[in-house]
Amino acid sequence: MTSHTRDGAVPWPPEDAARYRAKGYWEDKPLGAYILEAADRFPERTALVDGDARISYRELADRMDAAAGRLLDLGLRQDDRILVQLPNCWQFTVLTLACFRAGIVPVMALPAHRQFELSYLAELSESRAIAVRDTIKDFSHQDLAKHIAAGTPAMSHVLVSGRVDQGNVDLDALLAPGGDPINARKQFDAAAPAGDDTACFLLSGGTTGLPKLITRTHNDYAYNIKATSAVTNVTADTVYLGTLPVSHNFPLACPGILGVLFAGGRVVMLPSPEPGKAFAAIEREGVTLCTAVPAVVQRWLEYRQETDRQETDRQETDQLETLEVLQVGGSRLADEIARKVKPVLGATLQQVFGMAEGLINMTRLDDPEDVVCTTQGRPVSEADEIRIVDESGTDLPDGVAGAILTRGPYTPRGYYRADEHNARAFTPDGWYGSGDIVERRPDGNLVVQGRDKDMINRGGEKISAEEIESLVYRLDAVTLAAAVSMPDALLGEKLCLFVTLKPGTALTLSDVQESLRRTGVAAFKIPEKLVVVDEIPTTKVGKINKKQLREEVARMLQASGNTG
Ligand code: AMP
């Protein structure tokens, strides 16, 4: 028996929950119901596109209810968890919606995760199934999934899209349309999850060790989606392309694929942000809204400028003609890059500063250029509460940078089964501290100035320094380890590892990389530079002085002519 997710979740205090309901933020309507409303309004319209696969709203509704039924046939029940590790493909979306309908909770793992992360997530969430693509870039996720299942007592099913080994479940068949959509719909309408039931588990960026699970309820996630959809002006005419892994909150629900499907728009699934492919998809589908991290935007700008140069004499149609809005977030977008977006790509830039833990800030589509290009916007909801505080927790005036604290109708009050961590990440009265250092301008817009958390933000993918350090300590030679960020022109930051070694031992970067690979960690977390030192500097209170190390590696890169 697995435990109920409610037992590990931290609910909003009843008075806040009552207020959110009274204000209409929480509608006590399960996420699947919003999709069905769209399907009723626009049955013939295309909901999902993935390569040659095109799925109408009618078919989407049919598939999701049929799949929900097949999940129950496998023996899964409401509140059971499925570890989902799929790339951007139609199967991800249909499976997620089927879970919402059946009240089964998808755990949103990243395609980059490996044994180390997946086994931990499977165990913490007590997942009863895992869903994967057979292989991605020659890596057998099917083999990995079998391995995870063998090591996870609660897990009894491996669902595979593609070539399915014996004993595993054919995910594509599980997601096929059913024969009786009307009755399937009745069945799941009657057994719909409650508004405050867990809808999905998102993963935290993680500052202490492995990622935490973030419990998002149907109520709070629906509101997240509705509030961001309103700010981004999503309608039935929106055609959306998410270029980030869709298990991230940003392309999933801000407004992302779910927001666009709520509205009756069209979602285009593309597994890679590579500019040639993305631009072709934008042109082919008439994409109007797109989500990217700064590193991707930079590649797009370069690609566009390059192709423009090559095509000056030719009368080419503009591939990006339909693109109205480009949302950028996940890490800080440099102001000078921001200023190029409209002139070079032709789309309105929307900066997004948010977190899977809840709070989403966005610039508005009609904001003046100064706001769009130099700030990360303001909360999407009038009910988002924000404080900027100093180290003692005292509120700071506008214009002074400090740590951001937040509460609101879509910012849960704690991580799943993480009491100790919650005591640090949340104040006793429920404010979440993301660890970002932010300045609030008098006009209410936020500017992210830095962060006070031990994390490396590698092109939007977050790496917990502590997680890597604890793995590096498994190497015999290492006496002290410190993972810090180093500047990188494209990704913003990469991971650099400082170590001290036992006398008479040696260690190379490839030793470290090989060891981490063997542990089975996601490739994006593997250090890209190693600095062996005699001593690692500490602060007055005896903590490793990471600020000094960051400065040191930045200096080293500059001296070697490698400015990142
Ligand atoms: P995640 O939950 O993975 O989306 O990570 C959330 C964290 O990403 C935030 O707490 C910030 O540290 C960082 N982040 C997200 N968007 C931005 C942005 N626009 N500018 C700077 N940092 C950002």
Side-chain angles (χ1 to χ4, degrees):
M1 270 293 282
T2 57
S3 51
H4 200 290
T5 53
R6 276 193 198 220
D7 299 335
V10 184
W12 279 262
E15 59 279 14
D16 291 308
R19 195 173 72 246
Y20 296 151
R21 285 195 167 88
K23 286 273 194 186
Y25 306 137
W26 292 3
E27 293 188 283
D28 286 308
K29 195 156 84 176
L31 291 166
Y34 294 91
I35 303 291
L36 286 168
E37 282 170 10
D40 288 341
R41 283 169 61 209
F42 308 106
E44 305 308 332
R45 282 199 179 208
T46 302
L48 259 184
V49 179
D50 174 4
D52 293 336
R54 302 183 83 79
I55 298 178
S56 69
Y57 272 92
R58 186 195 308 286
E59 188 182 332
L60 181 68
D62 182 5
R63 280 179 186 265
M64 79 177 182
D65 281 349
R70 295 187 193 108
L71 290 171
L72 298 191
D73 292 344
L74 285 179
L76 297 177
R77 292 291 168 262
Q78 208 168 72
D79 198 53
D80 277 346
R81 275 75 76 191
I82 298 185
L83 186 56
V84 177
Q85 195 204 28
L86 289 169
N88 293 8
C89 56
W90 68 264
Q91 290 89 344
F92 171 90
T93 304
V94 178
L95 177 62
T96 300
L97 298 180
C99 287
F100 291 160
R101 283 292 277 163
I104 292 168
V105 181
V107 183
M108 297 297 181
L110 294 173
H113 285 151
R114 292 293 178 265
Q115 152 91 24
F116 183 65
E117 293 89 7
L118 292 182
S119 55
Y120 157 85
L121 293 170
E123 196 177 316
L124 177 60
S125 64
E126 300 169 291
S127 285
R128 295 210 46 216
I130 180 167
V132 294
R133 168 67 59 81
D134 54 353
T135 55
I136 304 175
K137 291 188 192 140
D138 291 338
F139 180 83
S140 173
H141 287 264
Q142 178 152 232
D143 287 349
L144 176 60
K146 277 194 261 187
H147 194 70
I148 300 295
T152 309
M155 195 178 277
S156 37
H157 304 287
V158 176
L159 319 180
V160 181
S161 167
R163 189 189 48 78
V164 186
D165 291 348
Q166 210 175 4
N168 293 342
V169 177
D170 184 339
L171 180 61
D172 294 350
L174 185 136
L175 302 175
D180 189 0
I182 294 169
N183 273 318
R185 180 165 175 172
K186 270 195 206 138
Q187 177 191 350
F188 289 104
D189 281 350
D196 49 13
D197 278 345
T198 307
C200 62
F201 278 131
L202 302 180
L203 309 188
S204 75
T207 50
T208 54
L210 283 148
K212 304 282 172 290
L213 294 179
I214 306 165
T215 316
R216 303 300 299 258
T217 64
H218 285 267
N219 272 338
D220 93 71
Y221 218 36
Y223 183 56
N224 185 118
I225 293 162
K226 288 179 288 179
T228 50
S229 295
V231 172
T232 309
N233 199 14
V234 171
T235 70
D237 293 326
T238 301
V239 181
Y240 177 71
L241 177 74
T243 65
L244 310 172
V246 282
S247 40
H248 278 305
N249 184 45
F250 185 17
L252 181 61
C254 303
I257 52 181
L258 294 174
V260 174
L261 293 177
F262 273 28
R266 193 188 331 149
V267 169
V268 181
M269 309 293 290
L270 192 72
S272 154
E274 196 272 305
K277 292 190 184 120
F279 285 19
I282 291 170
E283 183 176 27
R284 194 174 57 244
E285 296 296 335
V287 168
T288 60
L289 173 67
C290 192
T291 300
V293 289
V296 167
V297 174
Q298 223 167 312
R299 276 168 68 194
W300 285 15
L301 288 169
E302 280 160 20
Y303 179 84
R304 175 74 163 193
Q305 284 165 325
E306 191 53 38
T307 43
D308 275 357
R309 264 194 294 281
Q310 290 165 2
E311 285 170 1
T312 39
D313 301 332
R314 274 189 282 153
Q315 232 9 60
E316 285 280 334
T317 53
D318 177 7
Q319 282 193 296
L320 305 186
E321 196 179 344
T322 55
L323 188 63
E324 290 165 12
V325 177
L326 179 61
Q327 297 184 288
V328 183
S331 62
R332 178 70 152 89
L333 180 66
D335 296 356
E336 56 279 15
I337 305 284
R339 285 188 217 285
K340 289 187 189 161
V341 169
K342 181 89 190 181
V344 178
L345 301 176
T348 297
L349 169 66
Q350 179 177 56
Q351 293 216 40
V352 181
F353 160 52
M355 49 211 73
E357 284 82 354
L359 177 71
I360 305 291
N361 303 280
M362 290 176 162
T363 54
R364 304 313 198 247
L365 302 184
D366 57 356
D367 273 344
E369 195 193 322
D370 154 65
V371 170
V372 170
C373 296
T374 65
T375 84
Q376 283 64 57
R378 50 198 180 277
V380 294
S381 166
E382 60 189 6
D384 284 318
E385 301 174 78
I386 286 187
R387 291 171 59 198
I388 310 289
V389 299
D390 68 12
E391 278 164 17
S392 68
T394 308
D395 287 276
L396 293 166
D398 287 350
V400 181
I404 184 168
L405 297 178
T406 185
R407 285 193 310 205
Y410 61 99
T411 302
R413 295 301 178 96
Y415 294 102
Y416 182 67
R417 283 166 56 178
D419 293 345
E420 213 179 293
H421 183 66
N422 286 341
R424 273 175 279 138
F426 291 80
T427 66
D429 44 1
W431 295 86
Y432 169 64
S434 73
D436 294 298
I437 302 297
V438 172
E439 174 199 327
R440 181 165 42 198
R441 306 196 329 177
D443 63 4
N445 287 296
L446 306 179
V447 181
V448 182
Q449 301 284 15
R451 61 172 182 264
D452 178 23
K453 53 182 169 186
D454 208 0
M455 178 195 95
I456 294 96
N457 189 338
R458 188 183 185 278
E461 296 295 358
K462 315 303 185 309
I463 310 166
S464 149
E466 189 186 298
E467 179 183 335
I468 299 307
E469 289 158 6
S470 67
L471 292 173
V472 170
Y473 281 122
R474 294 183 186 177
L475 292 163
D476 274 346
V478 173
T479 48
L480 201 57
V484 295
S485 62
M486 59 180 175
D488 181 75
L490 187 57
L491 293 167
E493 298 175 11
K494 281 183 174 175
L495 198 162
C496 169
L497 184 72
F498 282 82
V499 290
T500 57
L501 300 178
K502 279 183 195 150
T505 62
L507 191 72
T508 65
L509 178 61
S510 50
D511 293 338
V512 175
Q513 293 177 329
E514 190 42 42
S515 148
L516 286 179
R517 246 176 241 127
R518 270 201 309 273
T519 314
V521 300
F524 68 83
K525 298 181 183 172
I526 291 179
E528 284 161 280
K529 185 174 176 63
L530 176 74
V531 185
V532 180
V533 287
D534 292 335
E535 206 179 331
I536 288 187
T538 52
T539 62
K540 274 190 227 122
V541 291
K543 276 170 61 174
I544 290 180
N545 191 338
K546 294 222 164 163
K547 184 165 176 276
Q548 191 176 330
L549 292 177
R550 280 193 293 270
E551 288 166 2
E552 225 165 283
V553 65
R555 254 196 315 274
M556 287 162 79
L557 292 175
Q558 207 152 35
S560 67
N562 180 354
T563 47

